[in-house]
């Protein structure tokens, strides 16, 4: 199959959908890959590296002329002209939040397979997980940075030093983001407590951390007591398909120490802290009641190289199936089939249909 890798053109997007190593795997399997010139530069991947792995470098038109186009972000308006009936598009689509794109995909007849709805039998979302892993680990790192005095924080070293106590870190939600945040915070020497409503998850976390973190049931009194003590709060809850619950209220903020820090990773779902609002990497924080708030909605964007490799590790096996078998891959792999959102002018994913009142 002829596969195209266009350069990402959404603002501040520096990831690329295939690394040179992934291109080599596709080429070895007998596929041809056209990479748009400069597509990998934002992730530190040169055109020469792609060529040495068997890619042909081309223009944006060449990349989009392929039978299957693999991207990172959903097509934006200037890319709509490339959508067509005989195109298989494999990328993040997030259609429920994007009516114009949904319409163009349907009108053009494009087959759209969305990373975010590929789902394993246990309900997990394998192509969203890598970005949650990145954001979780970054959350601890960003929290530690913003606890420093020049960044507006309390002037606390997360791990403490011999004779001086470490920071108290509270992680709300013990899923992928929360577990990764806890791992890094505990690794830095912090005293970490993870809150979750799912008891089985708390049992699992208690087992894997083996005493290095404390687990607590996520109830209002437990949270209220811990907020007053915390140096750093990391928000990482998710109720699939719903706005995040407000677990830290404005009232609780008044009990926090001056210069303590909140990193609410769940900000993309409205956040689990009442006073959080989305911020950007260029101006990531603001202060409410003396508490530093960090609400960057695309945290992995700051580490595009790591994020590119993390994403491609997970997407390549599915890309190979689509390249080898075309649409038969969807018949053979139920998890991949759940990624199918549009085909031949029809919506094929129920939640997107519900968002726009279209029957699926
Ligand atoms: P996940 O499903 O793996 O984990 C969510 C956890 O929250 C689950 O363990 C669940 O039991 C728990 N939870 C639900 N209600 C709770 C409550 N009331 N109290 C405590 N815990 C509760 O999800 P995830 O992959 O870890 O993602 C977490 C959030 O981070 C999502 O909103 C996701 O979109 C977001 N995210 C943001 C960025 C970013 O750049 N800001 C990047 C990746 C993910």
């Amino acid at each position: 199959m002829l596969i195209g890798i266009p350069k990402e053109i959404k603002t501040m997007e520096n990831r690329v959908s295939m690394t040179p190593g992934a291109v080599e795997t596709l080429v070895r399997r007998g596929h041809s890959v056209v990479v748009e010139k400069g597509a990998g530069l934002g992730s530190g991947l040169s055109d020469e590296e792609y060529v040495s792995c068997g890619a042909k470098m081309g223009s944006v038109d060449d990349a989009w002329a392929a039978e299957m186009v693999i991207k990172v972000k959903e097509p934006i308006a200037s890319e709509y002209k490339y959508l067509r009936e005989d195109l298989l598009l494999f990328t993040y689509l997030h259609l429920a939040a994007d009516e114009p794109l949904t319409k163009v995909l349907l009108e053009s007849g494009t087959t759209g397979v969305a990373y975010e709805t590929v789902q394993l039998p246990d309900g997990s979302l394998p192509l969203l997980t890598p970005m949650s892993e990145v954001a979780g680990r970054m959350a601890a790192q960003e929290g530690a940075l913003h606890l420093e005095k020049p960044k507006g924080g309390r002037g606390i070293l997360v791990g403490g030093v011999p004779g001086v106590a470490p920071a108290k870190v509270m992680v709300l939600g013990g899923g992928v983001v929360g577990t990764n945040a806890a791992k890094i915070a505990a690794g830095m020497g912090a005293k970490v407590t993870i809150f979750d409503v799912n008891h089985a998850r708390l049992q699992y976390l208690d087992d894997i951390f083996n005493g290095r973190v404390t687990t607590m049931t996520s109830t209002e009194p437990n949270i209220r007591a811990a907020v007053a003590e915390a140096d750093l709060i990391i928000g990482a809850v998710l109720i699939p398909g719903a706005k995040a619950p407000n677990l830290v209220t404005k009232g609780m903020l008044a009990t926090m120490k001056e210069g303590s820090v909140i990193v609410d990773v769940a900000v993309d779902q409205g956040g689990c802290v009442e006073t959080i609002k989305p911020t950007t990497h260029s101006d990531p924080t603001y202060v409410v009641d003396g508490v530093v708030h960090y609400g960057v909605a695309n945290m992995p964007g700051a580490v595009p190289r790591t994020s590119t490799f993390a994403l491609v590790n997970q997407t390549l096996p599915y890309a190979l199936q689509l390249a080898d078998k075309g649409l038969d891959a969807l018949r053979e792999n139920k998890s991949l089939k759940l990624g199918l959102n549009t085909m031949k002018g029809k919506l094929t994913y129920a939640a997107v249909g519900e968002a726009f009142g279209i029957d699926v």
Side-chain angles (χ1 to χ4, degrees):
M1 185 183 272
L2 178 60
I3 298 159
I5 312 297
K7 183 175 164 56
E8 295 299 320
I9 55 172
K10 203 168 173 180
T11 318
M12 299 288 284
E13 182 54 67
N14 284 298
R15 289 174 291 176
V16 59
S17 64
M18 285 285 131
T19 56
V23 168
E24 188 168 16
T25 306
L26 287 160
V27 170
R28 283 222 183 113
R29 285 274 268 264
H31 304 295
S32 302
V33 184
V34 182
V35 178
E36 184 181 344
K37 287 189 192 101
L41 292 180
S43 293
L45 299 165
S46 67
D47 289 355
E48 292 71 32
E49 284 174 84
Y50 281 105
V51 170
S52 70
C53 288
K56 257 180 61 189
M57 304 310 291
S59 65
V60 56
D61 290 351
D62 297 333
W64 275 101
E67 294 165 84
M68 171 162 69
V69 166
I70 307 177
K71 271 182 56 57
V72 178
K73 296 303 281 187
E74 72 283 355
I76 60 172
S78 61
E79 293 169 317
Y80 288 177
K81 61 176 184 265
Y82 296 118
L83 301 175
R84 51 178 212 277
E85 177 138 19
D86 59 351
L87 174 68
L88 172 56
L89 177 64
F90 187 40
T91 186
Y92 285 122
L93 284 174
H94 295 291
L95 291 186
D98 194 343
E99 194 165 10
L101 175 61
T102 306
K103 272 195 181 149
V104 189
L105 282 170
L106 294 177
E107 279 161 19
S108 62
T110 304
T111 300
V113 179
Y115 292 167
E116 71 277 5
T117 64
V118 172
Q119 191 170 25
L120 297 175
D122 67 1
S124 63
L125 304 167
L127 305 187
L128 273 184
T129 301
M131 293 307 106
S132 286
E133 290 169 339
V134 169
R137 290 179 181 218
M138 261 189 82
Q141 212 170 287
E142 292 296 325
L145 178 70
H146 288 94
L147 275 170
E148 292 176 10
K149 196 77 181 167
K151 292 283 182 189
R154 247 164 94 63
I156 283 190
L157 184 62
V158 165
V161 285
V164 181
K168 287 185 182 152
V169 177
M170 187 178 171
V171 179
L172 295 166
V176 181
V177 169
T179 304
N180 280 276
K183 191 179 239 176
I184 298 304
M188 284 194 272
K191 193 171 177 320
V192 180
T193 307
I194 306 183
F195 294 75
D196 208 300
V197 284
N198 178 343
H199 189 65
R201 187 69 190 176
L202 292 180
Q203 286 173 318
Y204 167 78
L205 292 169
D206 185 66
D207 277 346
I208 59 160
F209 283 113
N210 197 20
R212 281 193 302 133
V213 309
T214 304
T215 57
M216 289 285 278
T217 302
S218 177
T219 61
E220 204 268 349
N222 282 349
I223 291 173
R224 177 177 291 281
V227 164
E229 297 279 309
D231 297 298
L232 169 60
I233 298 177
I234 295 173
V237 305
L238 176 66
I239 300 177
K243 192 195 164 300
N246 253 333
L247 301 181
V248 178
T249 61
K250 177 140 172 50
M252 289 183 197
L253 220 61
T255 68
M256 290 183 76
K257 293 173 276 194
E258 176 94 16
S260 43
V261 175
I262 294 174
V263 175
D264 196 350
V265 186
V267 65
D268 62 339
Q269 302 290 332
C272 58
V273 173
E274 192 178 354
T275 44
I276 202 71
K277 59 177 193 211
T279 60
T280 60
H281 287 295
S282 52
D283 192 11
T285 59
Y286 59 95
V287 177
V288 179
D289 288 352
V291 177
V292 178
H293 287 54
Y294 175 103
V296 175
N298 67 330
M299 294 176 70
V303 288
R305 191 172 164 93
T306 301
S307 300
T308 286
F309 281 90
L311 181 62
V312 175
N313 284 341
Q314 303 308 319
T315 55
L316 180 61
Y318 296 102
L320 277 169
Q321 290 170 43
L322 288 168
D324 288 351
K325 299 174 184 162
L327 296 180
D328 282 344
L330 302 173
R331 279 177 211 112
E332 290 176 21
N333 184 335
K334 285 197 174 123
S335 299
L336 184 55
K337 190 176 172 201
L338 287 169
L340 187 68
N341 277 228
T342 63
M343 195 180 173
K344 295 199 173 113
K346 289 223 162 74
L347 257 188
T348 52
Y349 196 75
V352 178
E354 275 165 33
F356 304 125
I358 303 174
D359 285 337
V360 172

